[in-house]
Amino acid sequence: MRLTSFTDFGLRALMRMAGEPDRAHSTAEIAAEFGISRNHLTKAIQALAAAGIVETRRGAGGGAVLAKRPDLLRVGDIVAVLEERSALVECFQRDGGACVITPTCRLKGMLAAARARFLDDLNAHTLADCALPAAAPQGSPSVGANR
């Protein structure tokens, strides 16, 4: 199964937040750290906020924070939220797509079962299991750098 870059960006942001759960994270700083599109990351953060996974704050000291402790957020549930807009195959689209073999297709059920097992397997893990270590402050030597 291939995950979308939307999901990838959302997961990276959550992994960063899980490593430093007591502070707000701006999309600008996360996008810069990972070299990803701020615009696309913002959309992923909005989807995570709508699902109650993160909370966003405006203004000075604003940004995104986890809505729950990282050990309470299951990875499969997060992936399901982020992949909600992306159909595995055409017939999984909300409108059913335009696949001409849908009436006699037996593959759809197999794919649905495989997707469910994939998410169940991911749900054996929490965001705490994949949290990133705290980022080094800007201008500080990185971990393992020669001094």
Side-chain angles (χ1 to χ4, degrees), residues 73-130:
L73 294 167
R74 300 259 164 225
V75 176
D77 294 339
I78 295 166
V79 169
V81 164
L82 292 169
E83 286 288 314
E84 184 175 54
R85 294 192 235 159
S86 179
L88 185 60
V89 289
E90 183 179 2
C91 60
F92 282 30
Q93 294 175 6
R94 289 184 186 182
D95 66 1
C99 181
V100 297
I101 64 170
T102 296
T104 58
C105 182
R106 292 181 287 185
L107 181 61
K108 183 176 181 177
M110 293 176 214
L111 292 173
R115 181 182 185 275
R117 285 190 304 272
F118 175 73
L119 294 174
D120 284 347
D121 190 54
L122 288 175
N123 272 336
H125 308 281
T126 68
L127 195 52
D129 297 328
C130 55

Side-chain angles (χ1 to χ4, degrees):
M1 181 169 191
R2 181 179 171 99
L3 300 177
T4 62
S5 57
F6 182 81
T7 299
D8 179 25
F9 293 178
L11 288 171
R12 290 188 210 189
L14 291 172
M15 291 164 57
R16 166 54 58 230
M17 288 182 220
E20 300 176 85
D22 296 327
R23 75 173 191 86
H25 300 264
S26 76
T27 54
E29 87 180 89
I30 294 172
E33 177 181 356
F34 298 127
I36 59 179
S37 164
R38 181 179 178 188
N39 185 41
H40 286 94
L41 176 61
T42 298
K43 291 176 184 177
I45 295 295
Q46 289 170 344
L48 292 165
I53 296 170
V54 299
E55 296 173 354
T56 57
R57 303 173 185 158
R58 292 186 172 274
V65 295
L66 295 176
K68 299 177 185 174
R69 293 187 338 239
D71 62 317
L72 298 177
L73 294 167
R74 300 259 164 225
V75 176
D77 294 339
I78 295 166
V79 169
V81 164
L82 292 169
E83 286 288 314
E84 184 175 54
R85 294 192 235 159
S86 179
L88 185 60
V89 289
E90 183 179 2
C91 60
F92 282 30
Q93 294 175 6
R94 289 184 186 182
D95 66 1
C99 181
V100 297
I101 64 170
T102 296
T104 58
C105 182
R106 292 181 287 185
L107 181 61
K108 183 176 181 177
M110 293 176 214
L111 292 173
R115 181 182 185 275
R117 285 190 304 272
F118 175 73
L119 294 174
D120 284 347
D121 190 54
L122 288 175
N123 272 336
H125 308 281
T126 68
L127 195 52
D129 297 328
C130 55
L132 295 172
Q138 297 254 338
S140 297
S142 62
V143 176
N146 293 334
R147 297 176 198 244

